[in-house]
Amino acid sequence: MSRRSHALALTLALAAPRALADPPPKVCVVVAGDPDEALRSAADTLDGALGLRSDLRTVADPAARAALHGERSTDPSVSDLADRRRLLRGTDADLPLLAPLGDRLGCAWVVELQGRASGLHLHTADLVRSQWREDHTVPNPDAASLVAFVLADVLSAPSPTDTHSTTPRAGTPSAPVRRTFWQRAWPWMVVGGAALVVVGVFFLTQDEPPGSVRLTVVHGGLR
């Protein structure tokens, strides 16, 4: 086995845990009701702030984001998103409308924003479990306060792969609790460690030091 093959095997062993790790949850930000300039601006601000985080993902397609935020578009590829957004009313009855939207964009969460007389209404839907999280009214919304409310809903929620139950919101099905990173990653760390041991043992058991050259003399005998 060549030295290059050893290096390749070691690289694959170390890269396996990262490659197979769960990706961060994806969050869609959508506006309900009348998408005036203040509401669209709040959606843009929240979407941009969430997009800077490493523990969350947001919608990457600019045309899709614009449709969700109530921007007018002539792009036929996002007409279904615009049509679905227009049906939103900022109530719990919106949940069945948000599920196909999440499937279309690959979002596990949807943050629905609506302008109200008391301030900006923010409601987060968990599309994996088909349930709402807490709703919030923000009188003077800014990026920090909006992100704080979303993180309180999303990052404190159970993971879709959890197996232990927790207390759900009233009227919603029970949901499992989030496993920690170490609980999900330790099997792959064991695999990587075992691969390192195998590679190390191989090098330690070689008779020839690195860089040595073996000379073989063949005696021709009597001719």
Side-chain angles (χ1 to χ4, degrees):
M1 188 175 185
S2 67
R3 192 178 299 277
R4 180 175 296 181
S5 298
H6 296 156
L8 178 59
L10 179 60
T11 301
L12 292 176
L14 294 176
R18 179 177 298 180
L20 297 175
D22 294 338
K26 191 172 186 179
V27 181
C28 292
V29 178
V30 61
V31 301
D34 182 22
D36 57 22
E37 185 58 35
L39 188 57
R40 290 195 297 268
S41 177
D44 291 341
T45 297
L46 176 58
D47 215 326
L50 292 175
L52 297 176
R53 300 185 61 86
S54 60
D55 50 358
L56 294 173
R57 294 178 297 147
T58 54
V59 177
D61 181 18
R65 284 200 311 271
L68 295 180
H69 298 178
E71 299 283 353
R72 293 184 179 276
S73 175
T74 58
D75 188 342
S77 67
V78 296
S79 60
D80 60 322
L81 298 178
D83 292 342
R84 190 170 297 279
R85 191 214 64 76
R86 293 189 186 97
L87 298 176
L88 300 176
R89 295 295 178 263
T91 67
D92 287 355
D94 288 346
L95 188 57
L97 299 173
L98 298 177
L101 185 152
D103 290 339
R104 163 85 153 75
L105 297 174
C107 294
W109 298 86
V110 172
V111 180
E112 187 181 74
L113 301 179
Q114 184 187 32
R116 295 184 178 179
S118 55
L120 181 69
H121 182 250
L122 182 152
H123 207 177
T124 305
D126 180 348
L127 300 185
V128 176
R129 297 173 184 78
S130 299
Q131 65 185 36
W132 290 101
R133 298 289 288 177
E134 298 300 324
D135 55 340
H136 314 277
T137 299
V138 189
N140 300 299
D142 56 69
S145 60
L146 293 177
V147 169
F149 285 124
V150 173
L151 295 183
D153 289 339
V154 174
L155 297 185
S156 64
S159 168
T161 58
D162 295 333
T163 56
H164 301 287
S165 61
T166 185
T167 302
R169 187 181 178 186
T172 59
S174 59
V177 296
R178 174 185 290 272
R179 289 189 301 168
T180 66
F181 168 79
W182 295 110
Q183 288 175 321
R184 290 184 282 112
W186 75 262
W188 298 109
M189 296 178 67
V190 171
V191 172
L196 287 176
V197 171
V198 171
V199 173
V201 170
F202 177 86
F203 282 111
L204 291 175
T205 55
Q206 299 304 296
D207 294 331
E208 299 169 354
S212 63
V213 177
R214 173 178 297 189
L215 297 179
T216 302
V217 178
V218 180
H219 194 280
L222 296 178
R223 297 184 183 275

